[in-house]
Amino acid sequence: MTEIIRIGVATSKSVFQLHGVDAEEQVVLRRKLRRRDVLVFFARQGPTRVGLEACGGSHYWARELSALGHRVELIPPQYVKPYVPRGKHDAADAEGICEAMSRPRVQRRLVPIKSAEAQAALMLAGLRERLVRQRTQLINTIRGYAAEFGLVAAKGKAEIGPLLRRLQSEAAVPEGARVLFAELAEEQARLEAQIAAADRRLMAWHRQDEQSRRLAEIPGVGPIGASFLVLKAPDPQRFRSGRDFAAWLGLTPKNHSTAGKQRLGVITRAGDETLRSLLVVGATSVIQKVRRGTSRSASPWLLALLARKPPKLVAVALANKVARIAWKLMVSGVRYDPGRLAAAPATN
């Protein structure tokens, strides 16, 4: 019987497509399986390499197939796409996965398999993200409806409470609208309570994780940002440098260079959007303290950059530096030393 050296698996909710090759790179397996038959099939197969596109559900299958003795590789979808033949169907996807597994460049970018406990913690982080998005949407809804009756408020979620109270006492607001605004206020209160509960759970996780506590010492990171860095970032040892880690987060500029001329554009915005946003927001908070004169540990580099660049651009640059510092702390296991940053000379 021909030995299969690689099997690419295109997953879905109910139907899985398999594509396998032998040592001569000849196709020896093309098969479609129902979900219930996948583990039965692989239990009968000898140990081999199995590739899947990295996604939330793929980690479950990776754990199950690893328990059967197979070597499972989770490949980022962007590294599979170049090897997918024309057309969009499961067989082409499985073939593309199988082909991508053979490339050394792809092998250096495999996604680590998450444990069930790690996915449970990520579920908590995802829950908080969803609640925060819903709160933002609700606040914008309240502001929009209030503006229809001539009432506006300053920016910030802290201003919504006073706005809702004004809406209940304003004579220009009809009684029917007041009832609806009261229901919106109740919905906002429920969301705030749910976010507070999620934050408490996240803080409890943060306090018991040594790496998260170390990362929280970096100015502009904080407990939430530190927790998300530990939960969402892959193994830091997989990155060759802090710059590679910042590039994974999407905090490095796009490169459009050609003919020996360097042209750098806006940041790539690759990687996890929430994690990148937390770092930029944290950097903005640090910059605000520096501009108000309430920060005692502003580095010469940051002061020099603020003197010649817009604050928003400086916030992204500072977020990039924070990402590099975080990578170094995760790799080395040391604690953050504010003295090293303060003593650094101002550079371009």
Side-chain angles (χ1 to χ4, degrees), residues 92-151:
D93 291 342
E95 182 179 350
I97 294 169
C98 187
E99 182 68 22
M101 293 169 65
S102 67
R103 307 299 176 178
R105 178 171 173 265
V106 175
Q107 286 294 311
R108 294 193 296 268
R109 291 166 172 81
L110 297 178
V111 176
I113 301 171
K114 292 183 174 65
S115 65
E117 292 74 18
Q119 286 198 285
L122 274 172
M123 183 179 174
L124 174 59
L127 171 66
R128 184 185 184 277
E129 290 179 42
R130 180 179 62 81
L131 292 173
V132 170
R133 285 196 300 268
Q134 288 180 343
R135 179 178 65 184
T136 301
Q137 182 183 27
L138 180 61
I139 287 175
N140 291 337
T141 299
I142 294 172
R143 286 182 180 277
Y145 283 136
E148 294 181 8
F149 298 99
L151 296 177

